[in-house]
Amino acid sequence: MITIRQATIEDSVHIAALGKITFKESFEHLFQDNGDLPSYLNQTFAVPKIKDSIRKKNNVFFISFVDDLPVGYAKLKLNSLSEFSESKNISQLQKIYVLKDFLSMKIGHHLQEALFNSAKKNNSNKIWLSVHVDNERAINFYRKHNFADLGYHSFDIGTHKFEFLAMIKKLE
């Protein structure tokens, strides 16, 4: 049975673990310097950092379970302006990560719907995101859900520069 609910501080340990595992599953192959990935994972997905992020008013986390096992999570940043859009009522889909073994269960779709509903409840009329340019599976997923391409930008992790595609969707 799949369950999705808004995450609480008590879920921070699960989200930190899911973040480390799913980010590594998705992006480990892109790192050439062996020290950059562990450093990034330990910094970005530290439990205290996740707790602080959950406490922020403009952040909304959702967590998904299959038979009580945490298998994925998502993060929405409310009122997150984008350099690519003039819209004032816009939120950012910052993360949707699901363990590889559970991707076929459409958990990402359900997490995305929870984010859309939360954004709409908070008066957002658009949602934007960034996705790694080589992540064809995710890009196709977002295009299938009516996200349009906005432009490209880069992000540095350690010694690596990563290229991202920004995308946007009107919420109805």
Side-chain angles (χ1 to χ4, degrees):
M1 183 171 116
I2 299 171
T3 306
I4 294 175
R5 63 169 171 76
Q6 189 166 335
T8 65
I9 293 293
E10 290 75 29
D11 295 311
S12 59
V13 172
H14 295 310
I15 291 170
L18 286 166
K20 284 183 178 183
I21 293 166
T22 56
F23 190 91
K24 190 173 180 180
E25 284 179 343
S26 298
F27 300 110
E28 180 177 37
H29 67 282
L30 299 174
F31 286 83
Q32 296 169 356
D33 183 324
N34 291 341
D36 285 344
L37 181 59
S39 175
Y40 177 77
L41 294 175
N42 290 333
Q43 178 183 2
T44 303
F45 299 107
V47 173
K49 185 171 183 174
I50 299 296
K51 284 182 179 180
D52 287 344
S53 190
I54 290 173
R55 285 187 185 107
K56 291 182 180 175
K57 283 184 179 182
N58 64 331
N59 290 340
V60 183
F61 283 79
F62 288 90
I63 188 164
S64 63
F65 297 87
V66 172
D67 298 328
D68 297 323
L69 177 69
V71 299
Y73 78 101
K75 179 184 175 189
L76 176 70
K77 185 174 182 181
L78 301 169
N79 304 312
S80 179
L81 300 179
S82 166
E83 65 186 87
F84 298 102
S85 175
E86 305 269 328
S87 182
K88 301 286 187 228
N89 298 331
I90 189 167
S91 292
Q92 181 184 10
L93 187 166
Q94 286 193 327
K95 297 177 182 359
I96 292 183
Y97 286 113
V98 176
L99 295 171
K100 277 188 180 181
D101 289 347
F102 296 88
L103 288 172
S104 65
M105 297 178 78
K106 309 287 185 207
I107 292 167
H109 171 76
H110 297 298
L111 284 166
Q112 179 180 252
E113 288 302 313
L115 293 178
F116 291 168
N117 290 334
S118 183
K120 286 188 261 188
K121 283 181 192 172
N122 285 280
N123 299 316
S124 291
N125 57 24
K126 292 183 181 176
I127 193 163
W128 74 279
L129 59 85
S130 289
V131 60
H132 190 271
V133 295
D134 290 339
N135 193 344
E136 291 180 32
R137 180 185 183 118
I139 291 169
N140 290 334
F141 173 82
Y142 294 124
R143 285 181 177 152
K144 178 180 170 186
H145 290 92
N146 300 315
F147 278 86
D149 298 2
L150 285 174
Y152 295 89
H153 64 100
S154 61
F155 181 75
D156 293 338
I157 299 176
T159 59
H160 297 83
K161 182 182 280 294
F162 296 94
E163 294 297 319
F164 289 87
L165 170 64
M167 304 176 85
I168 194 166
K169 173 187 174 79
K170 184 175 181 183
L171 295 172
E172 314 217 10

